[in-house]
Amino acid sequence: MNQLHSIPKSIRISLLIILTSFFSFAQRDLNNYQTLLSKGDMPEDFSTPVSQKIANDLVSNKLTFKTKTEAQKYLKAIHERLDNMLFSGSVIYGDEISAYVQQVAANLLKDEPELLKELRFYTIKSNETNAFSTSPGIIFVTTGLITQLSSEAQLAFVLSHEIAHYEKKHVHEEYLNSQKVGEIKKREQILKLSQFSKEKELEADQLALKRYHKMGYSKDELLGTFDVLMYSYLPFDELSFPKDYFNTTNMYIPEESFNYAIKPITAEEDYKDTYSSHPNIKKRKDAIQKSVSEYTNWGEASFKLEENLFFELRTVCRLESIRLDIIDGNGFSALYSIFLMEKEFPSSFYLDKMKALGWLSLQQLKFKLERRSEDHKIEGESSLLYTFLDKSSVFEAATIGMRVIYDLRTKHAGDAFFEDTYKNYLDGFVMHQNVSLTAYQPFTYQQASLKAINKVNDTINKKETSNLSEGSKYSRIKEKRAIAQPAPAFDSTEFATYAIPDIIQDSSFIKEFKAIKAHKDSLKDASDLFYSLSKREQDKLWKLHIASLSKEAASFKKILIIEPYISLSTKNGVADWEMKSAEKSQQKTLLTNAQKQGFEPFILTQDSIIKGTTEDFNEYITYLSYWEQINNANNGENCLSIDYEALNKYTESRGTSQLLFTLIDYSYFPEFEAIPIIFGTIVAPFIPWVYFVYIPRTIKEGKHLNLYSMLINSKNGETFSYVLNDLHKSGVVENYSPYYSDFFKLIKQF
């Protein structure tokens, strides 16, 4: 007990948090992994309104400004951006990753308790390999960074670097410097800012090294930290993708289908960094190596905390990375990471779920694989899988996906998630891929190849044993023609036609396939009929349809409206009070129109969350993740939530599975024609980027009103989209009310 009290209070609290989180972690079943969520009490960073944060900072007067107005402008920009990030759905607090990061930082600052008190550490669920500090003292670490690290020591150096940025007020200094160079020509301004930033990065490296050395970490881990940064665009491991990975009893893909060269890894340390915010990796390594020699008595530690704990938490982040790739619509990346993790978790329910959602996403994005930016190039071992999928026809890719999802549904028979995901995939299989069952063969690839071989052998035997001199003229003609009949053609590249023989003979599959096909044909007939009418006739028919719906009773009552959003842009800008007024007006309009049609709406917003609990916050970010998933990964089409169990828990507590997301975009300003002019090449880490200047030319005064709404049934993933563009004839933003009225009539039978 006396030993515990000799530890500074801030570190004791941190230790208590991490021990609590680790106990929870020990109970986590990684085969049934569920996403990281916040724990404990909501920190003041989340529960304090922006206006109060600004007022608090003005009183504390920690930063130097020429005028109060300049201080308010800076603080408003900083806190609004931070608030947007904190409530983006990606940031969490009190979780095991944040607690671990907090403890590593507490160890680094064990002799600087006052500095530690000023800092807070939160996790960003993102596959970007990053950590960054902010002037209010928040340091963010991404799960993507943890997935790539090899040791606690590497994390300690990264944290030391970010603590140095905060301690030396680098963010604030860069802001002040940007004001000084504001009048310089654009190209020179970027160069000057870039040089200023490089100086701060090198300074932060040196300060980080000092704390790192003091903690007794090994110098051998330092260069590996920079390797993590250099190769972070690659997957978290580099393993050969087996060419027989997709092969099953019923599906066989010949190895020659994977005869593509592995794309070489091209990242270099000494890339051109003239206009980059950071010095290149070689310069940073050289500077660190030079400084390392100036220190004596180096420690040998790669870990100060429990080594196994680091690797367990890294595993959590790697499982999380698959979820994040699917949300972002990076289905290929998710499939490669699933392959990597299956070696450790061969019977994982979670990985099976992610695999099903990954293939569904690929299908709904029309099998257009993510096109990576130059700093996220697809190289190394994963490029074999990427090239195979990229070169596959839509028919081939859709068939492989059908095979995988059908088998997963069979493996998890009776599970609602796999049953509904299968139905959603089958729906797209028929509706969008235009698949015909006649394109498939009722036997496997192996059976087809064996048939072809047997036919050839049979023909040879007949030729050798046939006696054409016997029998009648007509029997000899028939026998001769039979012998001359060529063996059935067998093309090994047509593997997809033999991939689902059992599926196309499954009576329930055939029944569902035909039902979807009939529905598709009826929709086409109705659409063709509607668009054959004149515009006047179309409008009349639409109004009659809406009028008939207004008399019907809704098939459900409760609707949960998630963070309704309104975007206002005017040529004179929008004041805060105008924005608040528009938001209140939108919410009132939604409630009024929903209630008129017999619904019981409830609106969940960020403002209501900051007054709530951590469980309220977790519910809120779970909804936001689902919205992001449907838009990025599923093209607005039917899909179950990636956090299926958690989402259903929240919606059941609300008494509804109906979720509404809605956005109004209103702008009133001159329309511009942008003329791009290349003025320079900016070099980001490793890769050149072309920057453009856009010279605007006024065309006409513009007034635009767009409305986007989507209703989602969280139970089965069905969606109903309502999109109206260019409603600028309505004149003012408040005139969107009739469109919401129509929307609530339309969803009555959803």
Side-chain angles (χ1 to χ4, degrees):
M1 183 65 72
N2 291 335
Q3 286 182 331
L4 182 61
H5 279 287
S6 68
I7 301 173
K9 182 181 178 182
S10 58
I11 298 182
R12 293 204 309 272
I13 294 171
S14 176
L15 189 60
L16 181 61
I17 292 171
I18 199 170
L19 287 173
T20 303
S21 294
F22 291 165
F23 179 77
S24 299
F25 175 78
Q27 314 303 313
R28 187 188 284 273
D29 176 9
L30 294 183
N31 276 309
N32 292 281
Y33 174 77
Q34 292 189 32
T35 188
L36 293 162
L37 292 172
S38 295
K39 296 178 181 177
D41 294 333
M42 186 181 291
E44 290 184 0
D45 291 316
F46 293 80
S47 61
T48 306
V50 168
S51 58
Q52 187 60 52
K53 291 177 185 176
I54 295 171
N56 293 344
D57 283 354
L58 288 171
V59 171
S60 66
N61 199 28
K62 289 183 179 179
L63 300 174
T64 304
F65 293 94
K66 291 181 180 179
T67 65
K68 184 178 179 180
T69 301
E70 186 181 353
Q72 287 175 322
K73 178 182 176 183
Y74 171 78
L75 292 171
K76 183 175 184 292
I78 288 291
H79 284 298
E80 283 183 348
R81 289 174 187 173
L82 263 178
D83 230 45
N84 287 338
M85 180 174 293
L86 293 174
F87 288 90
S88 65
S90 298
V91 178
I92 50 176
Y93 57 82
D95 60 288
E96 48 262 48
I97 307 300
S98 298
Y100 181 79
V101 169
Q102 169 78 22
Q103 184 57 42
V104 174
N107 287 344
L108 289 165
L109 298 173
K110 62 182 179 180
D111 297 327
E112 302 171 86
E114 293 305 311
L115 177 56
L116 181 61
K117 283 181 184 177
E118 296 178 25
L119 300 172
R120 289 88 69 208
F121 299 86
Y122 303 132
T123 299
I124 300 179
K125 295 193 286 186
S126 165
N127 282 342
E128 293 296 319
T129 303
N130 202 4
F132 57 95
S133 61
T134 65
S135 57
I138 297 175
I139 292 180
F140 294 101
V141 173
T142 65
T143 51
L145 173 66
I146 305 297
T147 67
Q148 299 280 355
L149 295 174
S150 300
S151 68
E152 174 198 318
Q154 293 177 352
L155 174 62
F157 183 78
V158 172
L159 291 176
S160 297
H161 179 95
E162 298 308 326
I163 290 169
H165 276 315
Y166 170 78
E167 185 183 17
K168 294 299 179 180
K169 297 181 171 60
H170 285 166
V171 174
H172 179 55
E173 285 185 20
E174 288 205 36
Y175 169 78
L176 295 177
N177 190 63
S178 69
Q179 303 303 300
K180 293 176 185 177
V181 302
E183 299 303 319
I184 300 175
K185 289 181 180 179
K186 194 75 174 179
R187 182 184 177 92
E188 295 173 7
Q189 179 179 335
I190 293 172
L191 179 58
K192 197 166 184 69
L193 283 170
S194 173
Q195 290 171 338
F196 182 83
S197 180
K198 288 190 188 73
E199 293 169 9
K200 301 306 177 188
E201 290 302 323
L202 292 172
E203 181 185 6
D205 278 348
Q206 295 304 313
L207 292 170
L209 183 62
K210 185 177 180 180
R211 283 196 179 95
Y212 180 93
H213 170 263
K214 187 177 179 181
M215 267 302 297
Y217 285 116
S218 170
K219 63 182 179 182
D220 296 333
E221 294 283 356
L222 285 166
L223 297 185
T225 308
F226 293 103
D227 289 337
V228 167
L229 300 178
M230 188 167 80
Y231 297 112
S232 63
Y233 68 96
L234 297 170
F236 53 74
D237 209 345
E238 185 71 5
L239 297 178
S240 299
F241 186 80
K243 296 179 180 180
D244 62 351
Y245 179 76
F246 294 113
N247 292 349
T248 67
T249 304
N250 288 303
M251 180 169 71
Y252 176 81
I253 302 176
E255 286 195 8
E256 55 263 30
S257 299
F258 286 88
N259 280 347
Y260 301 106
I262 304 294
K263 296 181 181 179
I265 296 170
T266 59
E268 295 183 5
E269 293 182 351
D270 197 17
Y271 56 86
K272 188 177 180 182
D273 62 357
T274 307
Y275 295 100
S276 174
S277 62
H278 286 55
N280 68 33
I281 297 296
K282 186 177 187 303
K283 288 176 183 174
R284 294 181 72 181
K285 275 188 174 182
D286 289 347
I288 284 292
Q289 284 180 306
K290 181 181 178 182
S291 299
V292 162
S293 62
E294 298 171 3
Y295 288 86
T296 58
N297 302 319
W298 274 97
E300 297 181 354
S302 295
F303 299 90
K304 289 288 185 177
L305 300 173
E306 180 64 39
E307 181 176 345
N308 287 342
L309 190 54
F310 169 82
F311 290 110
E312 287 169 351
L313 292 172
R314 189 180 70 173
T315 297
V316 166
C317 290
R318 289 181 171 184
L319 291 170
E320 185 68 36
S321 74
I322 298 169
R323 172 186 174 275
L324 294 170
D325 268 332
I326 290 174
I327 287 176
D328 291 338
N330 296 333
F332 146 74
S333 299
L335 292 180
Y336 184 76
S337 295
I338 288 168
F339 149 69
L340 293 175
M341 296 306 293
E342 281 175 335
K343 295 186 175 298
E344 185 175 354
F345 302 100
S347 303
S348 170
F349 182 79
Y350 169 76
L351 292 180
D352 281 351
K353 278 178 56 182
M354 296 303 104
K355 189 181 292 185
L357 289 177
W359 278 103
L360 179 62
S361 172
L362 285 173
Q363 182 210 58
Q364 292 176 336
L365 294 176
K366 310 295 188 289
F367 294 99
K368 294 177 182 176
L369 303 189
E370 64 263 30
R371 301 298 176 189
R372 302 298 191 85
S373 55
E374 281 296 302
D375 60 335
H376 287 78
K377 293 183 293 187
I378 296 170
E379 297 177 341
E381 296 295 340
S382 68
S383 67
L384 180 62
L385 173 60
Y386 179 88
T387 307
F388 167 72
L389 292 173
D390 193 41
K391 298 296 184 182
S392 295
S393 67
V394 170
F395 173 76
E396 290 169 340
T399 303
I400 296 172
M402 186 75 252
R403 174 80 270 164
V404 171
I405 288 183
Y406 182 91
D407 288 346
L408 288 171
R409 174 200 181 215
T410 303
K411 178 181 177 181
H412 301 283
D415 186 278
F417 176 87
F418 288 98
E419 186 63 38
D420 285 335
T421 302
Y422 161 76
K423 288 178 180 176
N424 289 333
Y425 192 92
L426 179 56
D427 189 67
F429 193 67
V430 180
M431 297 289 284
H432 303 305
Q433 266 73 64
N434 292 315
V435 173
S436 169
L437 295 186
T438 58
Y440 296 100
Q441 297 293 339
F443 35 80
T444 66
Y445 181 99
Q446 293 91 333
Q447 291 169 336
S449 61
L450 189 60
K451 279 177 177 286
I453 292 170
N454 289 340
K455 181 66 176 178
V456 170
N457 290 338
D458 187 44
T459 301
I460 293 171
N461 290 336
K462 283 184 177 180
K463 285 182 179 179
E464 292 176 350
T465 60
S466 177
N467 186 352
L468 296 178
S469 62
E470 297 179 359
S472 69
K473 165 186 172 182
Y474 305 105
S475 63
R476 290 197 296 272
I477 290 172
K478 289 179 181 179
E479 186 174 356
K480 191 174 183 178
R481 292 187 66 180
I483 294 172
Q485 189 73 26
F490 177 72
D491 185 350
S492 63
T493 64
E494 298 293 326
F495 64 86
T497 62
Y498 307 102
I500 57 172
D502 55 325
I503 300 177
I504 62 170
Q505 297 177 77
D506 179 341
S507 59
S508 64
F509 170 85
I510 295 171
K511 183 179 178 181
E512 290 177 271
F513 186 98
K514 289 181 177 179
I516 296 170
K517 181 71 167 58
H519 178 61
K520 176 184 177 181
D521 293 341
S522 67
L523 286 178
K524 185 180 184 304
D525 292 342
S527 177
D528 290 345
L529 177 61
F530 181 79
Y531 287 108
S532 69
L533 302 173
S534 66
K535 182 65 170 63
R536 184 177 179 181
E537 289 172 323
Q538 288 177 11
D539 291 343
K540 183 179 179 180
L541 187 61
W542 179 252
K543 287 176 182 178
L544 286 172
H545 177 59
I546 294 294
S548 67
L549 289 172
S550 64
K551 300 172 185 177
E552 293 186 10
S555 59
F556 58 94
K557 287 290 183 182
K558 293 184 178 181
I559 302 178
L560 183 57
I561 306 172
I562 316 296
E563 196 65 67
Y565 182 76
I566 186 165
S567 172
L568 295 181
S569 302
T570 70
K571 57 185 176 182
N572 298 319
V574 180
D576 287 347
W577 68 267
E578 289 179 292
M579 196 70 233
K580 288 290 183 186
S581 176
E583 288 171 353
K584 287 182 179 179
S585 176
Q586 182 196 22
Q587 292 178 23
K588 183 180 178 181
T589 302
L590 279 165
L591 292 173
T592 301
N593 280 289
Q595 289 164 352
K596 281 183 179 178
Q597 298 306 320
F599 293 108
E600 298 173 14
F602 178 82
I603 297 179
L604 189 64
T605 66
Q606 179 180 321
D607 289 341
S608 65
I609 295 303
I610 64 174
K611 301 171 186 175
T613 66
T614 293
E615 188 66 6
D616 295 330
F617 179 80
N618 286 335
E619 178 186 10
Y620 177 76
I621 67 172
T622 300
Y623 295 140
L624 294 187
S625 293
Y626 192 20
W627 173 239
E628 192 177 359
Q629 174 194 352
I630 283 184
N631 281 282
N632 292 343
N634 301 98
N635 209 26
E637 296 184 34
N638 297 352
C639 181
L640 292 176
S641 168
I642 201 160
D643 305 311
Y644 182 71
E645 292 83 4
L647 187 82
N648 282 337
K649 179 187 77 172
Y650 293 130
T651 54
E652 284 172 9
S653 69
R654 295 280 182 183
T656 181
S657 60
Q658 307 299 334
L659 308 177
L660 173 59
F661 297 87
T662 185
L663 159 68
I664 291 171
D665 175 29
Y666 178 79
S667 57
Y668 182 67
F669 49 80
E671 290 186 358
F672 294 112
E673 179 180 56
I675 306 171
I677 298 179
I678 298 176
F679 80 92
T681 301
I682 308 294
V683 183
F686 332 120
I687 304 300
W689 289 72
V690 178
Y691 269 50
F692 297 88
V693 172
Y694 287 91
I695 300 178
R697 179 167 65 85
T698 301
I699 300 175
K700 61 180 178 179
E701 288 289 319
K703 189 185 296 183
H704 302 276
L705 176 62
N706 305 311
L707 187 147
Y708 313 91
S709 293
M710 180 180 288
L711 185 69
I712 309 169
N713 184 333
S714 63
K715 284 289 185 185
N716 57 21
E718 289 185 2
T719 63
F720 177 85
S721 297
Y722 184 67
V723 180
L724 297 171
N725 291 318
D726 294 326
L727 303 173
H728 55 275
K729 292 179 182 179
S730 58
V732 293
V733 68
E734 287 78 8
N735 284 357
Y736 55 72
S737 181
Y739 303 110
Y740 273 138
S741 176
D742 288 353
F743 171 76
F744 285 111
K745 292 171 185 174
L746 287 167
I747 65 172
K748 284 185 174 183
Q749 300 307 312
F750 176 68

